[in-house]
Amino acid sequence: MNERVCRWGILGGAGIARKNWQAIRHSGNGRLVAVASRSQEKAAAFIDECQGQVAHDPVPEAIGGYAALLARPDIDAVYIPLPTGLRKEWVLAAAAAGKHVLCEKPCGTDAGEVREITEACARAGVQFMDGVMFMHNDRLAALRQELDAGTIGTIRRIATQFSFLAPKEFFTDNIRLDPGLEPLGSLGDLGWYNARIILWALGYEMPVSVTARMIREHHGVPVSLSAELAFGGGVTASLYCSFENEHQQWVNLSGTGGHIQMSDFVLPFHGPELAFEIEQAHFNVEGCHFHMERHSRRVATREYSDSHATAQETKLFRKFGELVLGGTPDPHWPEISLKTQLVLDACLRSAREGCREVVL
Amino acid sequence: MNERVCRWGILGGAGIARKNWQAIRHSGNGRLVAVASRSQEKAAAFIDECQGQVAHDPVPEAIGGYAALLARPDIDAVYIPLPTGLRKEWVLAAAAAGKHVLCEKPCGTDAGEVREITEACARAGVQFMDGVMFMHNDRLAALRQELDAGTIGTIRRIATQFSFLAPKEFFTDNIRLDPGLEPLGSLGDLGWYNARIILWALGYEMPVSVTARMIREHHGVPVSLSAELAFGGGVTASLYCSFENEHQQWVNLSGTGGHIQMSDFVLPFHGPELAFEIEQAHFNVEGCHFHMERHSRRVATREYSDSHATAQETKLFRKFGELVLGGTPDPHWPEISLKTQLVLDACLRSAREGCREVVL
């Protein structure tokens, strides 16, 4: 290869890494050099599973132990999908080894950890970014254009829900409710996206106060949680994340001139386009006659959700590769990770203190 | 007329009465006998305005003063769209005069008033019902069928918003923010519908606790308010009502097996049908491939929203007429008015006490 590429390593073989393996492969500026697991055998098995269908590609190396991967000089960036409870240790180690870090969410068990992580990356001069894929699809850019154009006026209210119905085994076998590995439970796994889309929509303004309710917990870990965020100027947002509801992932952005509904903001529906709906209603009263008129406009971007070439995860890895190859870390990305975590922290504190209002 | 009909009187000439005038005319079992206003001139002007287009109908009588209308023996039922601050006085007077009462919402300034009102109607043996039109359209019956059939499994979460963007004058000239006449502001005017659809969906189970936020108030009257209702078994609901957001009136019912979205639950969109969407998503993972599949089904009832013959307000007055002519008041209707008001009271208390959790 003549062109410079971002040389990737993956720490751990989480399910999500299977998807992102393909994303690296299709990023256009990345190459997967090695995969580390706790043992070389596990890493090799993971590689076999993912590599099977693309035998023409160079096979990444299977490495036993994360430290051994970080020690390699032929890796520029690492993707870290390890459990949340282990992230800080390995992000710090990666930064110390001079590796750029793409980190799954939640990036830490609390904002203190995320601050430590992002400061370490800044000191080491490496890029830090969290793995929120939707940030990188073309739809979000189209949505930003609509918001900037004033299509729905000034945003006054955001409502968002991200949920899925976990099977019974989830409550015993899945690490997503393990107090040590995933202490934020559904709030970290799902609520991270809710908080992020809210912050994104409001230009990363932080809420001034938060109230939240622990609807259900499992050994102290949120299973279902709802929160209300108050921003300046009477803007508010409601989020709900849950492991005990059928799959939903919607956001409603409501302004003085209309509202926008996006029904698949996290994981786009299968199909050739990603879309959102702009809705306006006009209530006309003429004497004794009342008319409620609806005006809908669908905005769609052409990016086949299930094509690796156009998938949002591919764009995420491509973007990260550009930053790595560009040579100058962009502080925006660690900053929004920290802000997202600060919002989750406030939610969790309020929820644990019986809905008490937490002022930020 | 040979058939027995429900003979109606209207107290006051509020805007909404213009619509309900037509509803009485088309109810099939009702006749408008008289309209009272503070002066006979005002009543006559109102009659002229509404009667204009239907000159072939018998013209109702214009009466000066509400008491004079209640004293008439040729009136069975009254529709009371007077301001909330005046309702108790005139509902009690109507009940004392043996008139059945169809009362606009909110039915009182607090649950104490609504209890007094509904108890007085019960003692007088007259029907009491609030003016929530959507309760009477065919769509709600179709929705009940879907819920009973388990289409979306067990409801776990409800989110609902009702808002409109009030013009500047609204904050000075409109009685809907007058502390004396409409002390509940947007909570009474809009939140009543949010609370009602939540209670309806959950079979009128009451929340166990409520937290709410006064987002904006005007002389102590809610302009924008959000609330979170917690029911037994981890079921929760979020409501948001506002006079400072573009028109929206949606409810999302979210269950273990899917969710239902209704975008016009209060004032149906103009058109030949009333509809809601049943949504299910399936997330399929096959090796490195992820597929998010959407299954949508639209359920629609054939009831032209703007035809007086099929409009939900016509069905409301027809239903009320049937109860009056049936001779036996149905206690369900006053009961759900009281429950709705109890929920609003809890919301307002929490909001006024800085989001403090209010246990019911």
Side-chain angles (χ1 to χ4, degrees):
Chain A
M1 229 180 274
N2 282 328
E3 280 183 59
R4 283 176 62 224
V5 297
C6 179
R7 298 166 301 174
W8 285 95
I10 296 179
L11 299 194
I16 189 70
R18 293 199 304 258
K19 184 172 178 174
N20 284 334
W21 174 299
Q22 303 300 328
I24 293 171
R25 216 167 72 79
H26 291 85
S27 63
N29 61 6
R31 179 162 50 86
L32 182 57
V33 173
V35 174
S37 197
R38 274 168 290 179
S39 71
Q40 199 189 12
E41 293 67 37
K42 286 188 71 169
F46 178 73
I47 290 170
D48 280 350
E49 187 198 338
C50 287
Q51 190 70 9
Q53 296 148 314
V54 285
H56 55 283
D57 267 25
V59 179
E61 199 167 323
I63 296 183
Y66 309 130
L69 188 148
L70 294 178
R72 289 181 63 130
D74 60 344
I75 287 177
D76 304 307
V78 289
Y79 169 55
I80 304 188
L82 293 171
T84 306
L86 305 179
R87 271 179 205 144
K88 182 180 120 177
E89 175 186 354
W90 291 105
V91 176
L92 293 180
K99 310 300 184 199
H100 302 275
V101 178
L102 183 57
C103 181
E104 264 312 321
K105 32 52 53 182
C107 297
T109 58
D110 60 30
E113 279 200 6
V114 177
R115 190 171 274 121
E116 197 178 337
I117 282 172
T118 53
E119 285 176 356
C121 288
R123 275 196 308 275
V126 297
Q127 180 69 54
F128 180 89
M129 186 188 281
D130 64 40
V132 176
M133 298 168 180
F134 74 68
M135 298 291 297
H136 303 274
N137 63 41
D138 296 349
R139 174 171 61 177
L140 210 70
L143 179 51
R144 174 61 69 206
Q145 282 190 338
E146 295 291 347
L147 296 178
D148 286 351
T151 305
I152 60 164
T154 305
I155 293 178
R156 294 274 204 211
R157 174 75 176 174
I158 302 174
T160 177
Q161 171 167 343
F162 189 12
S163 59
F164 67 82
L165 185 66
K168 276 213 184 88
E169 314 82 74
F170 191 87
F171 291 84
T172 48
D173 302 346
N174 197 297
I175 71 152
R176 281 191 272 196
L177 286 171
D178 182 308
L181 294 176
E182 295 297 349
L184 302 179
S186 66
L187 183 62
D189 198 35
L190 309 175
W192 183 276
Y193 295 97
N194 299 124
R196 172 60 57 83
I197 194 76
I198 292 167
L199 290 174
W200 175 87
L202 298 174
Y204 299 103
E205 183 187 332
M206 287 293 282
V208 292
S209 93
V210 169
T211 48
R213 180 181 291 271
M214 186 76 83
I215 298 167
R216 195 187 297 275
E217 59 184 333
H218 186 78
H219 303 310
V221 176
V223 174
S224 297
L225 183 145
S226 63
E228 179 85 13
L229 281 52
F231 296 82
V235 176
T236 57
S238 158
L239 72 82
Y240 172 78
C241 52
S242 172
F243 288 143
E244 48 180 3
N245 228 306
E246 189 257 5
H247 187 94
Q248 283 190 62
Q249 39 157 341
W250 54 264
V251 61
N252 176 298
L253 304 172
S254 166
T256 51
H259 69 280
I260 288 174
Q261 179 77 25
M262 189 154 45
S263 303
D264 59 346
F265 81 101
V266 181
L267 296 160
F269 293 134
H270 174 71
E273 293 178 335
L274 270 58
F276 57 86
E277 299 283 339
I278 301 172
E279 300 272 351
Q280 270 126 354
H282 299 291
F283 187 46
N284 304 313
V285 180
E286 286 176 42
C288 302
H289 292 274
F290 292 64
H291 245 42
M292 179 60 69
E293 276 179 25
R294 176 187 208 169
H295 300 271
S296 298
R297 178 161 65 90
R298 183 172 181 270
V299 175
T301 50
R302 192 88 196 162
E303 41 187 336
Y304 200 89
S305 59
D306 295 335
S307 150
H308 290 305
T310 59
Q312 58 186 9
E313 57 272 20
T314 300
K315 290 170 181 162
L316 160 64
F317 278 84
R318 183 177 301 148
K319 174 68 185 174
F320 195 90
E322 286 167 6
L323 289 165
V324 167
L325 298 173
T328 310
D330 182 348
H332 171 69
W333 299 100
E335 184 188 328
I336 64 173
S337 297
L338 179 57
K339 284 184 165 181
T340 308
Q341 187 85 45
L342 283 164
V343 169
L344 297 199
D345 277 17
C347 291
L348 196 57
R349 195 153 74 247
S350 174
R352 289 203 165 134
E353 296 177 10
C355 308
R356 187 179 67 77
E357 183 176 25
V358 170
V359 176
L360 276 90
Chain B
M1 228 179 275
N2 282 328
E3 283 182 58
R4 283 178 59 226
V5 297
C6 179
R7 299 166 300 175
W8 285 94
I10 296 179
L11 299 195
I16 189 70
R18 293 199 303 258
K19 184 171 179 174
N20 285 332
W21 174 298
Q22 302 301 328
I24 293 169
R25 215 166 72 80
H26 291 85
S27 63
N29 62 6
R31 180 159 51 87
L32 182 57
V33 173
V35 173
S37 198
R38 274 167 290 178
S39 71
Q40 198 188 13
E41 293 68 35
K42 286 188 70 170
F46 179 73
I47 290 170
D48 280 350
E49 187 195 340
C50 289
Q51 191 71 8
Q53 296 148 315
V54 286
H56 54 284
D57 268 23
V59 178
E61 199 167 323
I63 296 183
Y66 309 130
L69 187 148
L70 294 178
R72 288 179 65 127
D74 60 344
I75 287 177
D76 304 307
V78 289
Y79 169 55
I80 304 188
L82 294 170
T84 305
L86 305 179
R87 273 182 202 142
K88 184 180 118 175
E89 175 185 354
W90 291 105
V91 176
L92 293 178
K99 309 302 184 197
H100 303 275
V101 178
L102 183 58
C103 180
E104 264 313 321
K105 34 51 51 182
C107 297
T109 57
D110 60 30
E113 279 200 8
V114 177
R115 189 171 275 120
E116 195 177 339
I117 283 171
T118 54
E119 284 176 357
C121 287
R123 274 196 308 275
V126 297
Q127 181 69 53
F128 179 90
M129 186 187 281
D130 64 40
V132 176
M133 298 169 180
F134 75 69
M135 299 290 297
H136 303 274
N137 63 40
D138 297 349
R139 174 170 62 176
L140 210 70
L143 180 51
R144 175 61 70 204
Q145 282 189 338
E146 295 290 348
L147 296 178
D148 287 351
T151 305
I152 61 164
T154 305
I155 293 178
R156 295 273 204 211
R157 175 74 176 175
I158 302 173
T160 176
Q161 171 168 342
F162 189 13
S163 59
F164 68 82
L165 186 66
K168 276 213 185 88
E169 315 83 74
F170 191 87
F171 291 84
T172 46
D173 302 346
N174 198 296
I175 71 152
R176 283 191 271 196
L177 286 172
D178 182 308
L181 294 176
E182 297 296 349
L184 303 179
S186 67
L187 183 62
D189 197 35
L190 310 175
W192 183 276
Y193 295 98
N194 298 125
R196 172 60 59 81
I197 194 75
I198 292 168
L199 291 174
W200 174 87
L202 298 174
Y204 300 104
E205 184 187 330
M206 288 292 281
V208 292
S209 92
V210 169
T211 49
R213 180 181 291 272
M214 187 76 83
I215 299 167
R216 196 187 298 274
E217 60 185 332
H218 186 79
H219 302 310
V221 175
V223 175
S224 297
L225 183 146
S226 64
E228 178 84 12
L229 282 51
F231 296 83
V235 176
T236 57
S238 158
L239 73 81
Y240 172 78
C241 52
S242 173
F243 288 144
E244 47 180 5
N245 228 306
E246 189 257 6
H247 187 95
Q248 283 191 61
Q249 40 156 340
W250 53 265
V251 61
N252 175 300
L253 305 172
S254 167
T256 52
H259 69 279
I260 288 173
Q261 179 77 25
M262 190 153 45
S263 303
D264 59 345
F265 81 101
V266 181
L267 296 161
F269 293 134
H270 174 71
E273 293 178 335
L274 271 58
F276 55 88
E277 298 283 339
I278 301 172
E279 299 272 352
Q280 270 125 355
H282 298 291
F283 187 45
N284 302 314
V285 180
E286 287 175 41
C288 302
H289 293 272
F290 292 63
H291 244 44
M292 180 59 71
E293 276 179 23
R294 176 187 210 169
H295 300 271
S296 297
R297 179 161 65 89
R298 182 171 183 272
V299 175
T301 49
R302 191 88 195 162
E303 43 187 335
Y304 201 89
S305 59
D306 295 333
S307 150
H308 290 304
T310 59
Q312 57 186 9
E313 59 270 22
T314 300
K315 290 170 182 163
L316 159 65
F317 278 84
R318 184 178 301 148
K319 174 69 185 175
F320 195 90
E322 286 168 6
L323 289 165
V324 168
L325 297 174
T328 311
D330 181 348
H332 171 69
W333 298 101
E335 184 189 329
I336 65 174
S337 298
L338 180 56
K339 284 184 164 182
T340 307
Q341 188 85 44
L342 283 164
V343 170
L344 298 198
D345 277 18
C347 291
L348 196 56
R349 196 153 74 246
S350 174
R352 289 200 167 136
E353 297 178 11
C355 309
R356 188 179 66 78
E357 184 176 23
V358 170
V359 176
L360 276 91

